[in-house]
Amino acid sequence: MRTQVGIVGAGPAGLLLSHLLHLHGISSVVLEAHTRDYVEHRVRAGVLEQGTVNILREAGLGARLDAEGMRHEGIELRFDGEGHRVPMAELTGRAITVYGQQEVVKDLVARRLADGADIRFEVSNVRLDGLTGDEPTIRFHHDGKEQELICDVIAGCDGFHGISRPTVPAGELTVYEREYPFAWLGILAEARPAVDELIYCLHHNGFALYSMRSEHVSRLYLQVPTDEDIGDWPDDRIWEELATRFRLTGSDWRPTEGPIFDKGVTPMRSFVTEPMQYGRLLLAGDAVHIVPPTGAKGLNLAVNDVWIMSRALDAWFNGRDDGPLRSYTRDALQRVWRAQHFSWWMTSMLHRFGDDPYQHRLQIAQLRNVVDSPAYATALSENYVG
Ligand code: RFL
Ligand code: PHB
């Protein structure tokens, strides 16, 4: 088998890349380790930047997003028992859209299949060869047999635990990394959100986030220790802890409760490898960088990477110009490092770090700056809306 671009991974990065390449008349094959059902139901991100929404719309993927996505023009920062609205649209002219990542993935899969795409689900034993030659090759197991896909370029869009990045010889990549001493316990509940906008909350017990997926589904998160056993968190305990952290002084307001139908613990990590390319292998999304979710940047960065990559591949295949391809890493990394800084900053400001009361005081001072100073609030908003 031959194709122009062999894509490893059918997450948002791999699927959107395949679609954008199709719009440029460039062929691709997508190889995915899991089933279609699995990738369409993996619960993850929920916040799309304005730029991400624009890219999806311009690529003809805006119909359901526009009908079902919820436009949010601000967020709330809650600390010391008080809420403070950050009016992002007023400060920046831009907004975010709340629309589940799995909905983006469903839209992409449907569209790619309608356009006759070659997506192979449930492939295994994926190996990359010949990355420094002219015919990089992907070998994999599918439909009970060994297969070979000869490509012009391979796009590694296989997430943090994929095989693309580790295939690059040791010594070719530099890793920048930070781990955080906590994780997020996330739930989805059949409960009408008690708020219209997201709440990022710092409490003595730790961080909490109030988000949503629709008028009937709430998405909430609690900071927990990294080694937390989800078995120690029966539903009642989760709702009690959420009510405690979100409590407003002098009010009996609390999150709306409802049946919890999804529960999971996510570790927090910052991670970048440079460069984002090696020979004929180009890396995108979580395969090459990770941010803690406090800044809601991971999915948006993946979209930005493949948008830049698709334009570089268009210049190369259709314009015989390899300049944009050679500068892919440089072009994509600008956004990546800004998002790294923002995600680290939001995480540092909003989580409990051990028992250090001095640290907590500093965090409150930082939050006060953000809610009292239009300059700080604008800086946060610009980064948040993208
Ligand atoms: P993905 O989504 O991990 O997709 C990679 C795909 O590759 C497949 N794969 C392989 N396929 C073939 N062969 C192999 N050897 C393979 N190994 C792996 C996998 O099965 C998978 O289908 O990476 P991609 O496309 O780069 O997308 C990145 C985003 O998923 C990620 O950055 C976001 O979910 C991060 N994130 C958030 N981002 C936002 O922009 N806004 C948010 O609000 C937000 N919230 C979040 C988040 C991530 C979270 N978790 C669970 C990590 C909230 C959470 C809780
Ligand atoms: C979500 O809705 O899942 C979500 C929202 C904002 C974040 C992270 C996750 O910062």
Side-chain angles (χ1 to χ4, degrees):
M1 277 192 299
R2 272 210 83 105
T3 190
Q4 285 175 292
V5 184
I7 300 175
V8 188
L15 291 165
L16 179 60
L17 177 65
S18 175
H19 177 65
L20 294 173
L21 292 176
H22 172 70
L23 297 180
H24 289 300
I26 299 166
S27 68
S28 66
V29 175
V30 182
L31 305 176
E32 166 58 48
H34 288 99
T35 62
R36 175 178 178 181
D37 190 63
Y38 180 89
V39 301
E40 288 186 344
H41 292 93
R42 190 168 34 198
V43 179
R44 283 186 156 186
V47 172
L48 307 184
E49 294 172 355
Q50 181 96 53
T52 298
V53 170
N54 293 346
I55 288 173
L56 294 173
R57 266 190 204 136
E58 280 164 26
L61 295 159
R64 207 161 65 91
L65 168 64
D66 283 333
E68 294 175 25
M70 296 175 283
R71 181 182 155 92
H72 284 203
E73 302 197 335
I75 56 170
E76 182 181 319
L77 295 175
R78 190 172 288 192
F79 55 96
D80 279 352
E82 279 179 23
H84 308 262
R85 181 168 190 264
V86 181
M88 297 184 307
E90 209 177 290
L91 295 168
T92 67
R94 281 169 288 159
I96 54 143
T97 299
V98 175
Y99 187 66
Q101 176 170 327
Q102 70 271 35
E103 306 307 321
V104 175
V105 167
K106 278 181 208 159
D107 294 346
L108 280 163
V109 171
R111 181 59 190 269
R112 285 281 49 226
L113 293 178
D115 287 339
D118 189 349
I119 308 179
R120 315 275 171 103
F121 291 100
E122 293 183 88
V123 303
S124 57
N125 199 18
V126 179
R127 289 144 292 150
L128 313 183
D129 283 312
L131 297 177
T132 51
D134 291 340
E135 289 194 335
T137 302
I138 311 180
R139 297 195 171 78
F140 59 100
H141 195 81
H142 186 239
D143 262 354
K145 52 181 190 288
E146 277 301 309
Q147 311 213 18
E148 193 179 90
L149 179 65
I150 301 168
C151 316
D152 294 314
V153 173
I154 296 174
C157 302
D158 47 353
F160 186 67
H161 300 288
I163 52 89
S164 300
R165 188 185 67 250
T167 304
V168 178
E172 296 288 342
L173 298 179
T174 306
V175 175
Y176 302 88
E177 192 167 17
R178 174 152 306 179
E179 289 197 15
Y180 299 87
F182 40 75
W184 279 14
L185 187 162
I187 61 158
L188 278 170
E190 279 168 40
R192 170 179 281 276
V195 289
D196 298 326
E197 295 179 336
L198 273 61
I199 305 175
Y200 288 81
C201 172
L202 172 62
H203 182 271
H204 266 291
N205 292 2
F207 171 76
L209 171 61
Y210 207 136
S211 183
M212 61 205 69
R213 286 294 176 272
S214 71
E215 279 177 25
H216 312 286
V217 174
S218 298
R219 175 83 167 139
L220 295 125
Y221 296 95
L222 286 169
Q223 174 186 353
V224 294
T226 28
D227 52 0
E228 197 71 340
D229 180 357
I230 194 112
D232 291 340
W233 286 89
D235 296 5
D236 287 352
R237 182 178 174 205
I238 292 176
W239 290 118
E240 262 332 295
E241 188 59 25
L242 285 166
T244 301
R245 294 194 194 178
F246 284 118
R247 186 160 295 137
L248 287 170
T249 307
S251 153
D252 56 6
W253 183 92
R254 52 189 288 151
T256 324
E257 298 181 21
I260 295 176
F261 61 92
D262 187 275
K263 230 188 248 189
V265 175
T266 308
M268 309 274 278
R269 169 184 281 126
S270 297
F271 175 93
V272 182
T273 44
E274 292 183 19
M276 292 169 62
Q277 62 202 109
Y278 171 72
R280 292 284 182 97
L281 172 68
L282 302 171
L283 299 166
D286 280 16
V288 64
H289 44 67
I290 295 280
V291 283
T294 329
K297 287 289 156 237
L299 170 60
N300 295 292
L301 282 179
V303 167
N304 189 60
D305 287 351
V306 299
W307 189 75
I308 294 173
M309 194 194 290
S310 68
R311 289 165 62 99
L313 289 170
D314 175 43
W316 191 58
F317 282 114
N318 298 325
R320 294 279 141 217
D321 173 9
D322 70 352
L325 204 51
R326 280 194 282 120
S327 67
Y328 167 65
T329 291
R330 197 189 64 211
D331 296 343
L333 273 182
Q334 289 188 16
R335 198 52 232 288
V336 167
W337 276 107
R338 274 197 74 164
Q340 285 288 333
H341 177 261
F342 179 65
S343 304
W344 164 84
W345 178 67
M346 287 284 280
T347 303
S348 307
M349 179 167 68
L350 286 161
H351 289 74
R352 177 183 167 141
F353 286 79
D355 288 322
D356 181 359
Y358 182 78
Q359 173 81 17
H360 186 75
R361 283 294 186 208
L362 286 181
Q363 290 173 283
I364 298 293
Q366 172 75 89
L367 282 160
R368 282 249 155 255
N369 268 331
V370 172
V371 300
D372 291 343
S373 148
Y376 262 109
T378 305
L380 183 149
S381 301
E382 283 175 347
N383 280 286
Y384 195 81
V385 300

